[in-house]
Amino acid sequence: MCGIVGCVGRDDAQDVIIKGLKSLEYRGYDSAGIAMHNGDYINRTRAKGKLMNLEQKLAKDPLIGKNGIGHTRWATHGPPSEKNAHPHSIGGVSIVHNGIIENYLELRDQLKSMGLDIYSDTDSELIAHLVNIEVKKTGELASAVKNVIPQLEGAFAVLVLSEKHPDEMIAFTNGPPLLVGFAEESFIIASDLLAIMPYTNKVTYLSEGEIIYINKTNYKFFNNDLKEIQKNIETVDWSDELVEKSGYSHFMLKEIFEQPRSMAKSLEPYIDVDNHSITMPELEKHADFFKSVEQVYIIACGTSFYSGMVGEYLIEKIAGVSCKVDIASEFRYREPKLIKNSLVILISQSGETADTLAALRLAKEQGVKTMTLCNVQHSSMDRESDIQTYMNAGVEIGVASTKAFICSLSVLNVFSGFLAKVKGNFEKSEEEKLVKALLATPSHMESVLTYDKFFADAAERLKSYKGFLYMGRGVHFPIALEGALKLKELAYMHAEGYAAGEMKHGPLALIDEQMAVVMLAPQDDLYEKTISNLETAKARGGQVISIGTIQDKKLKELSINFLSLPEVDWNINPFLAVIPLQLLSFHVANALGHDVDQPRNLAKSVTVE
Ligand code: M6R
């Protein structure tokens, strides 16, 4: 889950690479480096810490050249340090690598037994050794790479520069994302479209086992056996403003405020506004299959898992179909027995999360139909699933997921209606009600965003609590879990999400005057029960911040702070209830002086186990 960028054939190659790495910093940010071929030699600069440290070094001592490779790292093998930073250069070969080489211990022993010195703690350096050995043997970059790939086990996307081959660059992938942008007489290769967007919208995505070889202005695609293959160049649609902060202090804050618009956009492809009906044409092609579905499994990680938990309520209540939700890293190792006529839904913003991808492959092995709900189109999951749906959230840069969560909820709502419809469980009036409620949600979300000021002001007080307990019932239980995850992730504070009814089975013991209790208590059919749970927490000294439906006097009396939400249907409440929790985490983390967009130890897409 590092970010890699390569550039061939541009006078401004160093700037292109650094700008590209900046846009990929969300993938890892504990060290960075760049290597440039100046026509005669490869020169390299690396720095521990954020990209800014590398930029400072380059400002004093820029690298020259038209071809280069760069890397921003999320440490797996070896701690963050300059020696472990990429590019790794051995002999005349420099490489950058995203992924994990699983047989690195054997390779390390093998290289050591050949008398070679290993300079870093990384698995990646070994690739540079292997390519260097093969370049010496074959004299050719492409043949060298062909001989190296079979020696590597695991997931890897690699860019290679060779001193002896000044006009050439080679890139290959065995899983992690890699795409090539075709600009005027130049090429940009990167882990994500974001690094390519400023230069061209003509791109090709490399699939597993594919290689691109570039020589000046010529290029060829190969498979692993170095047999030439043909690949299409796609024209992608985007707007630069998607990746700017647009006046906000942080990407996360911008993305929180974008949510009403993103939610509306996520619905666009799936709703016929004039007829207040659900239209999912791609899914309608499989109408017979959906009609026969008896069991739905939702599999995901982190925030996507919590949206899946909300999905479980939606699918069971709206479509009347049994639904189970699983954490991908558990699912893949517990020998799941998937029943026939079931559908496996994989939710993933990035579409690259290693555990969720493995779960998808496992479901396919068992012959079960898979459907993805991804944000990133052309991602590995998107490509490998049988049926695709999209969050349509736009680019999400903040490591903490916000708008992707909201957009997953909206697609899960629509999908539940779709399933209910094909199964004949949905009256036209129910469909209209669902669609109208969803269409009205963005403006309700706007009104909840005004709590930004409340949390900005309250953050100093909130940051002094020793911990936070988030509680909710029904669809608000996953929202409580999501609130706690956001606070842990951004503020590095102890936070737990609980089903409010479980309090008396243990967590009540945690409560005292130092503990903030965030109670989600909108007026739904579990309201009275939630209030009893709240009374219990308050009686133990818990400092209650409640989030409920407008003008709830009871809740107000019981709480030190009461935040009111507009009155909406049960399935719409999660869209509104999650916003104050996102704002709380953002402002507390900010007040603590943390890097909100790039929290410590994390990365946006987790492409390793
Ligand atoms: O890209 P994915 O949706 O598969 O990512 C899953 C999790 O890694 C992700 O949601 C993570 O929990 C977020 N950083 C939470 O804000």
Side-chain angles (χ1 to χ4, degrees), residues 283-500:
L283 273 58
E284 272 147 29
K285 288 182 194 157
H286 306 266
D288 287 343
F289 161 69
F290 283 111
K291 214 172 181 173
S292 72
V293 166
E294 285 166 23
Q295 174 70 50
V296 176
Y297 301 94
I298 301 183
I299 301 162
C301 298
T303 291
S304 293
F305 171 67
Y306 298 140
S307 71
M309 283 179 75
V310 178
E312 181 181 23
Y313 288 92
L314 297 169
I315 289 171
E316 295 207 330
K317 279 197 182 191
I318 298 176
V321 177
S322 166
C323 180
K324 279 174 85 173
V325 198
D326 247 307
I327 296 171
S329 54
E330 291 297 317
F331 174 85
R332 63 182 289 197
Y333 290 115
R334 73 170 167 75
E335 299 183 18
K337 306 283 173 282
L338 305 179
I339 65 162
K340 254 183 150 193
N341 289 346
S342 57
L343 165 72
V344 172
I345 304 179
L346 297 306
I347 305 180
S348 175
Q349 189 285 130
S350 59
E352 300 294 346
T353 301
D355 286 318
T356 316
L357 183 58
L360 183 154
R361 289 175 179 162
L362 184 62
K364 286 186 84 170
E365 272 169 29
Q366 293 202 14
V368 170
K369 263 229 191 338
T370 55
M371 180 174 103
T372 38
L373 172 49
C374 292
N375 195 33
V376 179
Q377 296 199 11
H378 305 285
S379 57
S380 304
M381 283 181 228
D382 180 35
R383 283 184 272 129
E384 291 190 27
S385 61
D386 300 309
I387 304 168
Q388 296 77 30
T389 60
Y390 298 103
M391 299 174 189
N392 297 311
V395 179
E396 189 178 68
I397 304 275
V399 166
S401 187
T402 51
K403 59 179 183 166
F405 179 74
I406 288 284
C407 294
S408 308
L409 295 186
S410 69
V411 180
L412 286 165
N413 264 279
V414 177
F415 173 69
S416 305
F418 168 82
L419 196 56
K421 222 168 123 175
V422 288
K423 282 191 159 284
N425 298 341
F426 221 30
E427 301 286 331
K428 179 65 191 157
S429 59
E430 292 174 299
E431 184 179 3
E432 275 186 12
K433 183 169 181 276
L434 175 65
V435 170
K436 282 184 188 163
L438 287 169
L439 290 173
T441 304
S443 65
H444 293 312
M445 289 165 68
E446 296 277 3
S447 69
V448 182
L449 282 168
T450 54
Y451 280 116
D452 182 52
K453 172 137 180 39
F454 166 79
F455 285 111
D457 295 343
E460 281 299 320
R461 169 172 59 88
L462 296 174
K463 77 177 194 195
S464 63
Y465 285 119
K466 78 168 184 225
F468 279 71
L469 271 182
Y470 291 77
M471 290 195 268
R473 303 185 70 126
V475 278
H476 297 107
F477 169 41
I479 302 301
L481 292 168
E482 168 62 4
L485 174 63
K486 283 285 156 302
L487 197 73
K488 282 185 265 215
E489 180 176 27
L490 299 175
Y492 321 149
M493 286 175 82
H494 173 230
E496 287 194 52
Y498 253 93

Side-chain angles (χ1 to χ4, degrees), residues 553-582:
K553 286 203 187 111
K554 199 166 177 184
L555 212 49
K556 204 169 178 179
E557 274 164 24
L558 288 168
S559 319
I560 50 170
N561 296 115
F562 165 65
L563 279 65
S564 75
L565 305 177
E567 194 172 351
V568 291
D569 295 343
W570 69 272
N571 55 317
I572 303 299
N573 266 327
F575 291 95
L576 310 184
V578 75
I579 292 176
L581 308 190
Q582 296 168 341

